[in-house]
Amino acid sequence: MASSGHPLADTSEGRASFLSRLRRAVDEERFFGTLLITPMQLLLWFLLIIPTIIVIYLSLVAWEPRMGVDWWQAPFAFLRNYAQIFQDGRFWAAIGRSLGVVVAAGGLEFAVGLGLALLFMRDFPGKRIVTSVILYPMMLPWVVVGLAFYLLFLDRGPVNFVLTQWFGSGATVEWFKNPLLAMGTIVLADIWQWTPFLFLILYSGLGALPKDPVEAAMNLGANRWQIFRHVTLPMLKPVILIALVIRALEAFKIFDLVFVMTGGGPGTSTETISLYIYRVGFVFGQLSYAAAMAVLILVMITLVTRFAIQPIEEG
Amino acid sequence: MASVRVEGLRKAFGDTEALRGISFEVRDGEFFSLLGPPGAGKTTTLRIIAGLESPDEGRVWLGEEIVDRVHPKDRDVAMVFEDLALYPHWSAFDNIAHPLKLRKVPLGEIEERVRAIAGMLKIDHLLDRRPGTFSGGERRRVAIGRALVRRPRVLLLDQPLSDLDAKIRQEMAGELKRLQAETGQTMIYATHDYEEAVSMADRIMVIHQGQEEQTGAPQALYREPDSSFVAAFIGSPAMNFVPCKVERAGGELVLQHRAFTLSLAGEGLLSLPDEVLLGIRPEHIRIEAARTPGALPAEVDIVQVLGEEQVLDLRLEDGTTLKAIVVGGVELKAGDPLFIRLERERAFLFDQVSGRRILGPGL
Amino acid sequence: MNEAVVRTGDYDVFLTFCNWIGDMAESGLIVDQTAWWEKYDPEVDHGPNRYVAPLDRFTTLYKGRRYALGADDDAFSLFYRKDIMDNPDEAKAFEDRYGRPLELPKTWKEFDEWIAFFDRPDEGIRGAHMYAERYFAYTAWAARFISKGGAYFDDNMDPLIVSDEGVTALEEQIRLTQDHMWPDAVTGDWSVAYSRFPEGSVFFAWAWASLGKWAQDPETSKIAGKVGYMDAPGTMHDGELVKAVPHVVGWSFSISRYGKAPEAAYCFIQWFTGPAVGLDAIARVGTLDAFREPWFDDAKMKEAYGEEFLPVLHSLTQNAFPDISLRGAAEYLDNLNLNLQQAFAGQKGAERALKDAADSWQQITDRIGRLGQIEAWRAERQNYPQPIQDLWAKLGRFPS
Amino acid sequence: MESRRLREFTDAVLRWLAGIIVCAIFLLPLIWVLSISFKPPEEWIAYPPRLIPEKITTSNYVVLFQPGNPVGGVGAMVSAAEPVTRAFINSIIVVPIATAASLVIGFLAAYATTRFQAGGKSLPLFVLTTRMFPPVAFAVPLLVYFRALGLIDTQLALILMYTGFTIAFSLWMTRGFIEGVPKSIEEAAILDGASRWRVLFTITLPLVKGGLAATGLFVFILNWTEFLLAQIFTSRQAITIPVQVSHYVGAVGRFYGPMAALGVVASIPVVVAGYIIQRHLVTGFTFGLVRE
């Protein structure tokens, strides 16, 4: 459609005032479109492109605030920061953990969210209230969510208390001591908080689907599972993909919950990549090193986008 | 109000050529129809006239003005879209008044003109309601009202009646015709339904695959179709086409078909190609009870009864099927043997390759 | 840390952990106050109002220069359940089991037995709460380690923690943690101590002095009036008991180089930490703790801390050793802590944990610059309490 | 027929039961937060835990606004924290402005990209990738950058970042709604004689306002709960509510009571707004991907 733009103001009306010519130009599609995206472009330049240039520069120098010089005066380190990353087991372990969260949280949230969405496709008494309740977790500050789960799963907290009531005094679980359980508890909090999001997307998507194909399949005698598997699911595919992608990318950034619940502990066993970068950059003050890690992550995510999201756009 | 002229319109969307050189002229006050199957380029033509698309080649005149560089909002062209495109958040009154408001017509006059057009369209009672609750016919009236209220230079109608049920469609078509007659509004009406076009338009242009097939008054198109496409498109049930060989027996030309042979009289037919299509409309096939010279034996295959008329699917001896319409008379049923006679003076010959008319009416 | 990047000059004065002085001084964020000290005399290391040694040194010095004015005393304090301890039945049972009278433990060995004795999980009360969590796991271990004669580094900044002293200290502390504490000593955060002890679910707790005030407040505590205070256990070296008390965090004031009026700001902090004002601030507000000698005899202070606690705190403070205060302090401590926490959680052996910590320390040192760190460390070890420095000398830990 | 009715009945009952269970699961942590917010300090993490506080107190809420007010012993302890007023004012200024800016900019861009493919076909995808980068990765350069601009610890810095980092959502969600408005309606308006601006504001905008409300609420939630950037970029003047939550840490522990109380107070406006526009919220998340 870009080709259908209208030429600018009629040149034969050379004496038309600037204002009227501008007004006419605004009506021209291409000009109007450009005008409308300009604020966003400016903001992206300001918040994305310039910082990206800075972060790349920072990653190539050896700068820590405690050096006593400003960042542009710091000596070049070239690729030394990057070389250091490749030897930094803690970095890769943190990346691995973040990916683990993506898979575990993303997968479970999707499953639960889809289940809920299907459940909610039909009316039942109190649906509106239940919907409100389900959406509530998203609205709580994440720090408070982390706090709530930390307190619930405390060694002598309510969850363990209930366990001892049901299964005897030996039945407490040291949720935050075992690395896997600690990670699991964090993921649980994430699930609790973000399933509503997936529920919303999938529920909206299901609601927007055309009804005819389902009815047609029903008339052909397909059972519910077959309808779901062969009719609903394929139609829902684009929604599912975007939901999963968005959720996966958000989950990869997980910070608040870990920060509040375990601080990355025991040791570094629940340290995610956001937390590690935060710690390196803003606690240890190794900003150049943090910058190199940031750049590496930007590159990795861009690659993932190329290979994972491009198909969605095309499909 | 103005005349419209387009010349040499070409438009491609990516690889698909929507228009391949369309030219026509609509006289001031004329009801002109663009007729063609879906995808023929009707909508694109209208959109180019409105300025919603710009052609790759060609020009558009409104009256004496070339409007290529005039923005659609300034062309003073109104259009009724296929989906009507009513503003769902405004009342019918506001919908209709919108063009007037934009033209800064005084409020009193707006009120007056909207009421007048609503009266003409019999939608006075709907003015305060939003379109969401309207029936299909009501929605169309509002859309037409919105287009007409400002007396545009030309009114473009893009299949506005397409998904109405038959009865309302006929009713609306009649009203539209009356409205056009009353207002003398120049209208271009795009449709794929020949009956609509035939019943309303002063002139019709049949287009096919982005090209003009034939332009003319409805009767002319029916009586003297220039191509097998036009012949098939206009009339229902469609014209029968029977592929035949042209053979020269002595000095005489003979139309040879497995089931029949027709000798062609007349001079100057020596340039006929070897293979042609014989075209004959169902209403021009006569049924005869007994064998008379020149009559062909056939068997009734399917019978559709439409009131007084019966539409028959007939099978000739070699298996060729023809449709025929019988008015009144005996009730026929499948399997009945009978004899038919083609009205040669209403038959055509078309080129099998190009579809152009070679001969006719009358062989 | 942000201010080091940002340098807005919004701040004239920083109130920070005193082990950040190194980082802040090296980044040029704060100014050397030595000249002002000579000009205005804040009465830190001399006179009747002097700070309790060694606070006068490690809350103020970096590489031998005065960069800060200490404003707090965060020597870790030891609290126990006096009511249980004073029970004659317990005394008898203890003597029956260990063949010695029930007294407050003096050495770490006695301490471990003492805690084990009072560990009563069935009654809902565990032996101790000592930090083994993400941020302060090093405290108890360092106390043992240093009292055994250990030091974090040698004079060339090579870590000394993977040594007999280090490993033994950690093994002892792991045993204590795993056998006689609630699991949340490892997994909870530092605030757990402030719930466990006042609610009466641990016999002993080791934390900041504020825990004592908190536990004695009938509003917030179920054990008000039942709290006992004790000096730190130590290690016997040739008949001499050497105690080491971790001084954890601790606040100090420093002056921003980018502030508008550095000297005026200095005068303000000297006034604020001065004998009269500081006393009021501490006695009333309760988030900072006493650090000047005369305050330990002051009536208002006694009221705030309780008669019995104040002398104990004084004694603890005299044996307090500083957190690592080099450049990169946060990083050194974080690496130490995360390894120790893993050891306490049973994920790593003691030696392995210390080895991993030592390796990461080497990397940090190399990255920051070994020479500068050596200079800083050689100065920093002079800030340790005298008995510990004497012990190091006796063991030949550092070349004299 | 009998069996079908029976099946429908059991179906309804099962759905209802499932609804209740789901409700319970989703409510439990909330109830716990609520419970703690009414507990005195000694009960915050006491054992055995009690759902209904032994001594119900409102002191956690009072302390939010009057730190130093020694109610139930908490006040004296949180005297280091500032009154919550400043954080509230900051949040109330920063979040709506950033949300509105994100919405306006995102809506305009969404309109341009859906209607005219402005900026190229892959622009929306590029914008989506901005949402993928961990904010902490951008915090590093932004800190030195904002310092140069003198934006540290200002509301403007947060407004800029919150606008920028939520643009992706504003863009993608509103795209869906705009695509739901038939293009012919806009064309009809143009033929009626309306300018592009007029079409945008009198035709398209009113038709997608429900969707904008949903998008707005979602973006509002993201900004209202944001912690990491606020934590890094503010220190005194511009702290927001989530940062304030983390400030309830004093010499004697983390003050779970005031933290929980603040969480409860902070979520009320969002919850009310959410309930009001729930209908739009549900239709708001198709991202324009399912079209009939």
Side-chain angles (χ1 to χ4, degrees):
Chain A
M1 286 301 281
S3 63
S4 69
H6 289 271
L8 284 173
D10 194 344
T11 44
S12 66
E13 291 177 37
R15 270 171 302 168
S17 73
F18 173 75
L19 209 65
S20 76
R21 252 197 275 178
L22 187 72
R23 213 174 284 144
R24 224 176 257 229
V26 164
D27 281 325
E28 195 260 324
E29 279 189 359
R30 208 174 316 164
F31 184 87
F32 189 63
T34 311
L35 189 73
L36 293 189
I37 55 167
T38 302
M40 185 178 77
Q41 302 278 44
L42 288 178
L43 196 69
L44 292 181
W45 269 92
F46 183 76
L47 280 174
L48 231 61
I49 313 291
I50 297 177
T52 304
I53 295 166
I54 296 177
V55 80
I56 291 173
Y57 177 81
L58 278 180
S59 75
L60 296 174
V61 298
W63 183 63
E64 297 172 18
R66 60 174 155 242
M67 289 167 70
V69 296
D70 280 308
W71 59 277
W72 57 86
Q73 299 164 327
F76 262 93
F78 301 101
L79 295 178
R80 242 174 296 149
N81 287 318
Y82 293 96
Q84 194 187 335
I85 294 178
F86 285 95
Q87 295 165 356
D88 186 349
R90 199 167 157 186
F91 173 83
W92 295 106
I95 291 266
R97 260 174 238 119
S98 289
L99 290 177
V101 173
V102 168
V103 173
L108 288 169
E109 283 160 23
F110 173 70
V112 180
L114 184 63
L116 287 179
L118 289 172
L119 181 73
F120 276 60
M121 280 321 286
R122 294 225 202 131
D123 282 331
F124 54 86
K127 178 170 147 181
R128 194 170 148 84
I129 292 168
V130 180
T131 313
S132 292
V133 169
I134 290 186
L135 299 184
Y136 191 97
M138 268 202 311
M139 305 174 186
L140 216 55
W142 304 352
V143 184
V144 177
V145 174
L147 201 71
F149 274 78
Y150 170 74
L151 294 174
L152 279 175
F153 285 87
L154 220 58
D155 291 301
R156 280 155 59 81
V159 172
N160 272 345
F161 176 72
V162 170
L163 288 178
T164 55
Q165 294 298 300
W166 287 352
F167 304 108
S169 60
T172 61
V173 180
E174 297 174 352
W175 296 101
F176 295 111
K177 195 164 173 184
N178 176 312
L180 218 62
L181 280 177
M183 211 68 229
T185 314
I186 292 169
V187 167
L188 195 69
D190 194 76
I191 291 172
W192 182 77
Q193 190 179 11
W194 283 103
T195 299
F197 177 76
L198 281 172
F199 162 74
L200 253 187
I201 296 184
L202 294 169
Y203 183 56
S204 316
L206 280 173
L209 287 182
K211 306 277 174 291
D212 310 357
V214 173
E215 276 162 21
M218 212 124 68
N219 293 338
L220 290 174
N223 66 32
R224 283 187 202 190
W225 167 248
Q226 286 168 325
I227 291 176
F228 175 70
R229 172 73 189 75
H230 297 289
V231 182
T232 312
L233 216 51
M235 285 196 294
L236 207 56
K237 199 172 137 200
V239 175
I240 291 175
L241 280 175
I242 195 88
L244 278 180
V245 166
I246 289 181
R247 190 52 212 131
L249 294 166
E250 296 282 319
F252 186 74
K253 303 191 289 194
I254 186 168
F255 175 85
D256 306 25
L257 292 177
V258 188
F259 186 79
V260 176
M261 288 171 71
T262 64
T268 56
S269 17
T270 55
E271 192 171 73
T272 59
I273 190 62
S274 285
L275 187 61
Y276 184 50
I277 296 182
Y278 173 80
R279 198 162 269 155
V280 167
F282 300 100
V283 180
F284 304 162
Q286 286 177 253
L287 282 181
S288 268
Y289 189 46
M293 294 195 284
V295 170
L296 205 61
I297 287 174
L298 299 192
V299 169
M300 288 193 283
I301 286 178
T302 311
L303 289 179
V304 168
T305 318
R306 270 256 162 283
F307 294 110
I309 306 182
Q310 205 89 331
I312 296 178
E313 185 202 23
E314 280 151 19
Chain B
M1 249 146 293
S3 60
V4 179
R5 184 149 71 94
V6 303
E7 210 173 270
L9 291 185
R10 286 183 167 273
K11 178 75 185 174
F13 297 105
D15 293 337
T16 49
E17 283 187 273
L19 296 182
R20 302 195 273 193
I22 292 276
S23 305
F24 60 84
E25 189 171 354
V26 182
R27 288 186 291 275
D28 192 0
E30 188 177 25
F31 196 130
F32 187 82
S33 177
L34 288 174
L35 177 63
K42 308 179 297 287
T43 302
T44 309
T45 309
L46 293 189
R47 290 173 63 84
I48 288 174
I49 295 171
L52 297 172
E53 308 278 356
S54 56
D56 300 338
E57 277 176 39
R59 318 200 99 174
V60 178
W61 282 262
L62 291 178
E64 295 306 308
E65 186 190 5
I66 296 175
V67 293
D68 294 3
R69 284 166 180 253
V70 179
H71 192 272
K73 81 180 165 69
D74 304 321
R75 286 194 185 187
D76 195 15
V77 168
M79 181 156 168
V80 177
F81 290 80
E82 186 174 4
D83 64 357
L84 306 178
L86 297 178
Y87 312 125
H89 54 308
W90 287 341
S91 67
F93 182 93
D94 289 335
N95 264 278
I96 297 172
H98 189 231
L100 300 180
K101 282 182 185 158
L102 288 170
R103 279 169 180 70
K104 304 211 163 53
V105 174
L107 280 179
E109 194 187 332
I110 292 182
E111 179 86 26
E112 205 173 292
R113 283 170 68 175
V114 171
R115 296 265 171 228
I117 202 88
M120 207 188 275
L121 289 160
K122 305 189 191 86
I123 47 172
D124 318 59
H125 60 295
L126 300 175
L127 285 181
D128 294 333
R129 282 161 52 197
R130 292 190 186 184
T133 55
F134 295 173
S135 72
E138 290 167 341
R139 295 165 63 86
R140 275 159 185 82
R141 287 164 201 268
V142 175
I144 292 166
R146 180 177 69 185
L148 271 180
V149 71
R150 65 183 149 116
R151 303 298 173 99
R153 291 205 277 194
V154 56
L155 171 57
L156 310 172
L157 298 120
D158 188 6
Q159 349 201 9
L161 307 183
S162 59
D163 43 59
L164 284 177
D165 55 57
K167 202 176 153 209
I168 300 176
R169 185 160 59 196
Q170 269 182 7
E171 197 182 304
M172 290 279 312
E175 271 181 50
L176 209 54
K177 179 69 190 165
R178 176 180 57 82
L179 212 61
Q180 200 266 341
E182 279 173 22
T183 56
Q185 171 73 51
T186 312
M187 291 192 189
I188 303 179
Y189 187 100
T191 179
H192 54 79
D193 183 325
Y194 93 97
E195 283 179 26
E196 258 173 56
V198 165
S199 62
M200 289 188 281
D202 299 328
R203 278 192 308 138
I204 297 173
M205 180 169 113
V206 180
I207 59 175
H208 178 46
Q209 294 181 342
Q211 278 175 315
E212 175 183 354
E213 286 281 338
Q214 188 177 359
T215 307
Q219 279 305 311
L221 295 184
Y222 177 81
R223 293 210 182 107
E224 296 179 31
D226 280 347
S227 66
S228 58
F229 179 80
V230 175
F233 206 74
I234 294 192
S236 172
M239 183 182 275
N240 294 298
F241 294 102
V242 185
C244 300
K245 283 194 170 61
V246 176
E247 285 181 5
R248 292 165 179 79
E252 201 177 37
L253 281 180
V254 176
L255 215 49
Q256 190 66 46
H257 184 264
R258 270 164 308 184
F260 59 89
T261 309
L262 284 177
S263 61
L264 295 173
E267 313 295 318
L269 297 171
L270 293 172
S271 60
L272 280 183
D274 290 346
E275 299 198 327
V276 295
L277 282 178
L278 169 66
I280 179 84
R281 293 191 188 275
E283 52 270 41
H284 301 145
I285 295 179
R286 276 210 309 269
I287 309 292
E288 299 191 348
R291 178 155 210 160
T292 54
L296 303 172
E299 193 185 285
V300 177
D301 200 13
I302 301 170
V303 182
Q304 278 173 278
V305 180
L306 300 169
E308 277 291 284
E309 290 181 357
Q310 295 178 71
V311 177
L312 307 176
D313 278 31
L314 302 171
R315 196 164 36 229
L316 300 186
E317 283 170 326
D318 70 321
T320 305
T321 56
L322 294 173
K323 275 194 192 296
I325 295 180
V326 189
V327 182
V330 282
E331 272 185 29
L332 292 163
K333 58 180 190 301
D336 287 351
L338 41 68
F339 296 94
I340 60 171
R341 176 181 294 279
L342 310 179
E343 293 182 14
R344 290 186 58 164
E345 64 283 8
R346 312 292 275 275
F348 301 88
L349 285 189
F350 299 98
D351 187 295
Q352 222 172 51
V353 182
S354 69
R356 293 281 108 193
R357 178 172 50 128
I358 308 166
L359 199 61
L363 300 180
Chain C
M1 185 54 70
N2 285 2
E3 180 64 11
V5 183
V6 173
R7 292 187 198 161
T8 52
D10 280 354
Y11 301 87
D12 293 317
V13 170
F14 296 122
L15 177 62
T16 62
F17 296 169
C18 58
N19 67 328
W20 289 8
I21 305 174
D23 272 325
M24 295 197 295
E26 292 281 355
S27 67
L29 186 62
I30 57 174
V31 293
D32 184 349
Q33 307 172 354
T34 314
W36 291 327
W37 282 45
E38 278 156 17
K39 189 166 160 194
Y40 297 108
D41 185 16
E43 301 178 80
V44 170
D45 54 358
H46 61 273
N49 288 324
R50 69 186 183 279
Y51 284 22
V52 177
L55 290 181
D56 60 332
R57 298 200 294 275
F58 66 67
T59 64
T60 62
L61 283 166
Y62 178 70
K63 285 189 177 175
R65 309 287 296 178
R66 305 289 184 175
Y67 277 97
L69 262 175
D72 191 12
D73 171 10
D74 269 347
F76 256 28
S77 308
L78 299 79
F79 308 99
Y80 65 96
R81 286 288 295 280
K82 207 167 161 23
D83 55 326
I84 301 175
M85 177 75 176
D86 290 349
N87 183 340
D89 297 344
E90 300 285 358
K92 189 167 177 309
F94 187 89
E95 196 161 352
D96 287 350
R97 189 175 329 167
Y98 295 103
R100 59 185 165 86
L102 174 60
E103 290 173 344
L104 290 176
K106 299 217 163 38
T107 65
W108 282 107
K109 190 174 168 303
E110 289 173 17
F111 175 80
D112 291 345
E113 287 174 357
W114 183 63
I115 295 294
F117 178 75
F118 285 107
D119 180 24
R120 312 274 162 77
D122 296 342
E123 297 163 28
I125 178 164
R126 301 300 309 246
H129 186 95
M130 295 164 88
Y131 290 124
E133 48 78 84
R134 185 67 182 78
Y135 299 101
F136 299 103
Y138 71 100
T139 51
W141 165 80
R144 284 180 199 254
F145 170 60
I146 290 179
S147 81
K148 285 178 197 294
Y152 289 131
F153 303 99
D154 70 9
D155 256 5
N156 296 313
M157 279 300 288
D158 287 324
L160 289 175
I161 53 178
V162 200
S163 54
D164 269 356
E165 294 90 356
V167 175
T168 317
L170 184 52
E171 281 168 349
E172 290 169 7
Q173 190 62 31
I174 290 174
R175 214 171 301 131
L176 196 68
T177 304
Q178 293 180 346
D179 294 349
H180 304 302
M181 297 186 201
W182 295 111
D184 54 15
V186 181
T187 58
D189 62 40
W190 59 274
S191 68
V192 173
Y194 288 79
S195 298
R196 290 285 163 261
F197 190 59
E199 81 184 11
S201 69
V202 290
F203 169 73
F204 168 88
W206 198 2
W208 290 271
S210 54
L211 177 56
K213 297 187 230 171
W214 186 245
Q216 288 289 42
D217 182 348
E219 280 278 356
T220 55
S221 169
K222 292 184 176 151
I223 58 161
K226 300 173 181 170
V227 179
Y229 313 96
M230 61 186 273
D231 207 343
T235 309
M236 294 299 285
H237 292 276
D238 302 333
E240 217 175 305
L241 186 66
V242 177
K243 295 177 276 192
V245 177
H247 180 273
V248 183
V249 180
W251 298 95
S252 66
F253 281 115
S254 45
I255 304 298
S256 170
R257 166 162 299 169
Y258 303 94
K260 278 135 209 125
E263 188 159 350
Y266 170 79
C267 292
F268 166 76
I269 63 169
Q270 178 171 333
W271 169 79
F272 191 81
T273 59
V277 180
L279 176 66
D280 273 1
I282 287 159
R284 208 175 306 127
V285 179
T287 45
L288 299 174
D289 289 297
F291 52 91
R292 286 184 188 267
E293 284 287 1
W295 296 350
F296 288 88
D297 289 322
D298 186 271
K300 265 190 270 181
M301 263 326 163
K302 279 180 184 160
E303 199 187 318
Y305 282 85
E307 284 283 348
E308 296 157 42
F309 185 24
L310 210 51
V312 177
L313 180 60
H314 188 250
S315 165
L316 288 166
T317 308
Q318 287 173 321
N319 288 304
F321 65 91
D323 284 336
I324 294 176
S325 313
L326 308 163
R327 281 173 71 183
E331 223 175 320
Y332 284 113
L333 279 178
D334 190 67
N335 277 287
L336 177 60
N337 273 319
L338 70 90
N339 282 295
L340 292 182
Q341 192 196 13
Q342 281 175 316
F344 288 130
Q347 295 167 20
K348 272 183 185 176
E351 189 167 353
R352 178 68 206 285
L354 291 167
K355 176 92 174 41
D356 289 350
D359 288 348
S360 61
W361 282 9
Q362 290 284 31
Q363 282 176 15
I364 298 167
T365 307
D366 286 336
R367 205 189 62 245
I368 293 178
R370 189 164 291 265
L371 280 179
Q373 297 292 75
I374 287 174
E375 185 196 347
W377 170 246
R378 287 182 183 177
E380 184 174 316
R381 66 177 170 79
Q382 314 279 342
N383 298 341
Y384 277 62
Q386 203 52 47
I388 293 170
Q389 290 195 47
D390 292 345
L391 175 61
W392 284 340
K394 195 156 64 184
L395 297 172
R397 187 69 71 208
F398 303 103
S400 44
Chain D
M1 271 339 257
E2 261 314 290
S3 75
R4 181 158 168 200
R5 268 176 58 188
L6 187 70
R7 211 178 73 183
E8 269 171 13
F9 178 73
T10 48
D11 218 75
V13 170
L14 282 178
R15 269 166 209 275
W16 196 63
L17 275 178
I20 290 177
I21 292 169
V22 164
C23 241
I25 291 172
F26 277 94
L27 272 177
L28 197 71
L30 297 172
I31 291 171
W32 195 245
V33 169
L34 205 62
S35 158
I36 285 178
S37 78
F38 287 106
K39 283 178 177 177
E42 64 273 18
E43 285 193 59
W44 290 340
I45 58 172
Y47 195 86
R50 295 171 56 104
L51 191 58
I52 310 290
E54 214 170 345
K55 288 189 285 183
I56 292 180
T57 171
T58 54
S59 59
N60 296 318
Y61 291 90
V62 174
V63 147
L64 295 180
F65 298 95
Q66 300 174 319
N69 180 358
V71 185
V74 197
M77 296 303 163
V78 294
S79 57
E82 285 211 35
V84 80
T85 345
R86 187 200 293 265
F88 250 109
I89 290 172
N90 281 326
S91 278
I92 282 171
I93 291 172
V94 166
V95 176
I97 292 180
T99 304
S102 169
L103 213 51
V104 169
I105 297 174
F107 169 69
L108 294 181
Y111 186 76
T113 52
T114 40
R115 285 291 188 248
F116 317 128
Q117 270 79 39
K121 212 179 150 217
S122 56
L123 181 69
L125 192 71
F126 170 74
V127 176
L128 187 63
T129 57
T130 64
R131 188 67 207 169
M132 306 168 186
F133 301 139
V136 71
F138 275 104
V140 176
L142 280 175
L143 195 63
V144 298
Y145 180 39
F146 278 9
R147 174 209 158 189
L149 300 172
L151 289 176
I152 298 300
D153 201 16
T154 62
Q155 295 168 344
L156 183 60
L158 290 182
I159 290 173
L160 282 170
M161 287 189 294
Y162 286 0
T163 307
F165 289 121
T166 54
I167 271 283
F169 273 115
S170 298
L171 178 78
W172 275 80
M173 283 180 65
T174 47
R175 267 168 72 86
F177 294 108
I178 291 167
E179 278 168 12
V181 177
K183 208 176 169 179
S184 57
I185 291 188
E186 292 177 2
E187 290 174 340
I190 286 177
L191 293 185
D192 282 352
S195 68
R196 287 270 176 212
W197 279 114
R198 209 182 159 98
V199 172
L200 182 55
F201 288 109
T202 62
I203 307 290
T204 318
L205 191 63
L207 290 179
V208 298
K209 61 175 195 264
L212 286 182
T215 311
L217 179 71
F218 189 68
V219 169
F220 188 90
I221 289 170
L222 287 178
N223 290 336
W224 187 255
T225 55
E226 203 286 334
F227 170 67
L228 176 62
L229 292 172
Q231 162 88 354
I232 293 174
F233 284 86
T234 68
S235 46
R236 258 194 328 187
Q237 297 302 331
I239 61 162
T240 57
I241 292 171
V243 177
Q244 176 89 11
V245 171
S246 74
H247 280 193
Y248 288 107
V249 172
V252 292
R254 297 210 283 195
F255 302 110
Y256 297 119
M259 283 174 163
L262 183 49
V264 170
V265 172
S267 62
I268 289 172
V270 198
V271 172
V272 172
Y275 188 78
I276 293 170
I277 67 167
Q278 192 196 88
R279 189 167 49 88
H280 298 304
L281 205 58
V282 169
T283 56
F285 279 86
T286 51
F287 292 90
L289 287 167
V290 181
R291 289 270 79 89
E292 286 193 40

